[in-house]
Amino acid sequence: MSFVLNSTRRWICMTCAARFSTRSNGKEYGNAFRKLKLKLPKEPARTRFAPSPTGYLHLGSLRTALFNYLLAKCTGGQFLLRIEDTDKVGGDFLCRTVLDAEEKIFQDLRWAGLQWDEGPQVGGPYGPYRQSERTEIYQKHAGMLIRVCQIDPEVSSGTLLIALQTGHAYRCFCSAERLNKLAKLQNDLGLPVGYDRACANISEGELEDRVSRGESHVVRLRVPNKYPKFEDLIYGVVGGKAKYGRTWVNGGQPTYEDPILLKSDGQPTYNLANVVDDHHMKITHVVRATEWLSTTPKHIFMYEAYGWQPPAFAHVGLLQDHNGQKLSKRNLDLDLSTFRRDLDIFPEALVNYVALLGWSHNASKDVMGLNQLVENFDLKFTKGNTIVTFEKLWFLQKAHAKLRTEKGGEKFEELLDRVCLFAHDNSAVLGNNFGDGKNLRDYVSTILRADSENFTTSEDFWERNSYFFVPIVISHYSTRRDKGKIIHSVPVRDLVQCARQIEAIPLESWNSSTIKGRISEVVAASSKIKCLESNEQDEEKFSGLINRTQKELNTALHHYLRWAIAEGKQGLAIGEAMAILGRDISLGRLREAAALADPRVLQEVGTKYA
């Protein structure tokens, strides 16, 4: 799966670009579910982001981190970082674990401005904050759920034994071979794969003996027939139904979900570690993707089993591509390094973009920095999944580039460094002096301040403004577009003569306003002379003729000047472009253009400019 990020797409209306670049494909829910608890908690929220070092951060994980960060900060609470690195076998990471992922997670979060209050590298009162360093805590809490189950012989019937369950977990000694056979039988019968609780009712004496002999085993959760309900902050009441119900196989033997809590190597599974850590780290709110929504009733049951108060949960829709497929952190196109390094995206632009994926606000505009996101944050999340498109990202990139330029300071200097580096490395620059004496940094700064609202990446910015840095190459001037449409009918001879009159501007007055004014004067004077040749006597008709002639000549002259100065590229207003280029380079290009525009007029207008 790959994505093409098109920074050149143009929207007719910037508001449309901002409002309609993402869309929700979630279904509508009933009125009962629409009564959402959108208000923020009255007390400071403690939230957490708990990534696994099996890959780098991607859009989805950054969004999860951001929403939890915003909830903590807007309530005056704390944002925790916890590393869920328990996928180990014999002390070695599984092959899917990326060795440098943890360090890159730290770097990417800090790059995005999401500094954690507690966690690795900063410490805190509830550490350690790596699950691999909390194994004894999980083993202790798995044991807390284990109680001996006594068999009541009076209620036994055939092969079915009803246990008086006094515990919420039990040890399971079943071999992988037995479990595989059971799973195959269930698959053959078209039934959900589950466990038959063969080890749930082992006597206390047998348990002690097998454990003392070091027999390999796991700890399983004894699930209830019906999971408890809970109220999600987005989706309302969830749960209250059996996960599978009871399925009967193998001569009437029921099977159950009974997930593993503690693996045979003593390492916890996600279900155990997640619940234990959130409780002991005093997490009050959890914002996560809806892929965990169906698992949450299981976690609520575990909280109840321990006698703990669960945190409040808010589940947000998944991020999907245009095909409706979930975005994956294993897709390199969505790795944050792609946005950070390859696409030159500002951290504030990406954070702004991610915040708007599934969250709506009441602010007057979508362009917000991190502090503004904190000020405007609430729990108004969109139900259903969100399809990701990237037009909005480029809209926000341009907006934040403009903000950087307007505010100046460190962020503008960083932007300036990027463009200067690219210009230096990728262009045959016009000598050592630019714009009538500026050095490269001052020259680039001038261009950025004039055209920051069109900045997407350093590469695109250089491509758009390359005529400022390299000698242009122009061919014969044409008044036709690519599809043959005639742009204007003004003779090239007239355009060359008009352009030549710009040379009257002295060096000390060479600026955009003077150049713009001179072009207007030339257009007005030339149009009047042209109209006088018509011998039109009617004053009203003569006035209309002048207006039409001025409009056509103005269009034609600007088209000609853009061809002569900028190879016909779209960009800054031509007067501003000529001011930045400087008088010498601008007049030099006009001289070269005159020689190419129409060789037949050279003797009439001359081949040199003053």
Side-chain angles (χ1 to χ4, degrees), residues 406-605:
E406 292 173 347
K407 294 179 179 179
E410 182 179 345
K411 287 189 175 182
F412 175 71
E413 294 299 321
E414 178 190 339
L415 172 58
L416 188 55
D417 289 339
R418 296 186 188 189
V419 181
C420 284
L421 180 62
F422 196 92
H424 184 273
D425 292 344
N426 294 276
S427 63
V429 292
L430 302 172
N432 295 320
N433 293 313
F434 309 89
D436 291 333
K438 290 185 175 69
N439 60 40
L440 177 61
R441 189 173 185 83
D442 290 340
Y443 187 60
V444 171
S445 177
T446 301
I447 300 171
L448 270 175
R449 293 183 185 281
D451 199 35
S452 62
E453 64 184 13
N454 290 300
F455 181 93
T456 51
T457 69
S458 297
E459 181 176 1
D460 284 352
F461 189 80
W462 183 85
E463 289 289 343
R464 172 180 167 84
N465 296 288
S466 60
Y467 59 91
F468 286 113
F469 301 99
V470 298
I472 64 173
V473 179
I474 54 178
S475 57
H476 179 72
Y477 178 68
S478 174
T479 61
R480 293 181 180 273
R481 298 186 189 276
D482 292 340
K483 295 183 179 181
K485 181 180 178 180
I486 296 177
I487 301 170
H488 65 83
S489 59
V490 178
V492 177
R493 178 187 298 103
D494 294 349
L495 299 177
V496 174
Q497 290 174 336
C498 288
R500 186 181 183 186
Q501 296 180 55
I502 297 175
E503 70 177 276
I505 303 174
L507 178 61
E508 60 271 18
S509 300
W510 190 264
N511 56 63
S512 60
S513 60
T514 304
I515 297 170
K516 181 180 178 181
R518 182 58 178 163
I519 292 173
S520 297
E521 292 172 0
V522 170
V523 169
S526 300
S527 298
K528 187 173 183 179
I529 293 173
K530 183 70 173 177
C531 291
L532 288 173
E533 297 174 357
S534 68
N535 295 319
E536 177 61 59
Q537 299 300 314
D538 186 284
E539 184 177 345
E540 185 176 349
K541 291 182 179 180
F542 184 76
S543 177
L545 179 61
I546 287 182
N547 289 335
R548 292 192 299 274
T549 304
Q550 284 185 344
K551 183 177 180 180
E552 182 178 19
L553 180 57
N554 186 65
T555 298
L557 183 55
H558 277 84
H559 181 265
Y560 173 81
L561 290 175
R562 184 161 295 282
W563 166 76
I565 296 297
E567 294 181 295
K569 288 185 176 180
Q570 295 299 313
L572 292 175
I574 198 62
E576 197 162 17
M578 293 174 70
I580 294 173
L581 278 168
R583 187 176 188 275
D584 289 345
I585 293 176
S586 296
L587 296 185
R589 290 185 179 181
L590 290 178
R591 181 180 64 247
E592 294 173 3
L596 290 170
D598 190 346
R600 294 173 296 177
V601 303
L602 292 183
Q603 293 181 351
E604 299 178 33
V605 301

Side-chain angles (χ1 to χ4, degrees), residues 276-288:
V276 170
D277 286 345
D278 281 353
H279 171 73
H280 284 286
M281 294 180 184
K282 302 188 182 302
I283 300 302
T284 64
H285 291 76
V286 175
V287 183
R288 60 186 181 183

Side-chain angles (χ1 to χ4, degrees), residues 42-115:
K42 296 180 180 180
E43 300 296 326
R46 281 178 63 84
T47 65
R48 48 77 171 171
F49 176 53
S52 173
T54 55
Y56 304 133
L57 291 188
H58 55 113
L59 286 181
S61 55
L62 176 62
R63 187 184 66 154
T64 298
L66 176 62
F67 285 162
N68 282 282
Y69 175 91
L70 294 176
L71 179 56
K73 295 305 174 183
C74 75
T75 59
Q78 298 82 41
F79 172 64
L80 282 67
L81 176 63
R82 185 172 72 224
I83 302 299
E84 298 190 342
D85 60 345
T86 57
D87 289 328
K88 296 182 177 181
V89 177
D92 296 328
F93 281 104
L94 293 173
C95 60
R96 69 187 185 94
T97 299
V98 180
L99 295 180
D100 66 338
E102 182 176 312
E103 184 59 35
K104 284 208 64 179
I105 289 171
F106 300 154
Q107 293 174 2
D108 287 341
L109 287 176
R110 287 195 171 106
W111 173 78
L114 307 185
Q115 176 59 52

Side-chain angles (χ1 to χ4, degrees), residues 150-164 201 253:
Q150 301 173 345
I151 306 302
D152 186 349
E154 295 184 0
V155 296
S156 61
S157 175
T159 59
L160 176 61
L161 298 179
I162 305 300
L164 299 177
N201 302 314
Q253 180 66 41

Side-chain angles (χ1 to χ4, degrees), residues 140-150 164-171 200-202 204 207 222 305:
K140 173 185 175 181
H141 281 80
M144 289 170 59
L145 291 180
I146 299 175
R147 297 291 186 273
V148 176
C149 293
Q150 301 173 345
L164 299 177
Q165 300 177 8
T166 58
H168 295 290
Y170 59 92
R171 303 181 192 275
N201 302 314
I202 297 177
E204 184 176 2
L207 278 174
R222 188 193 301 270

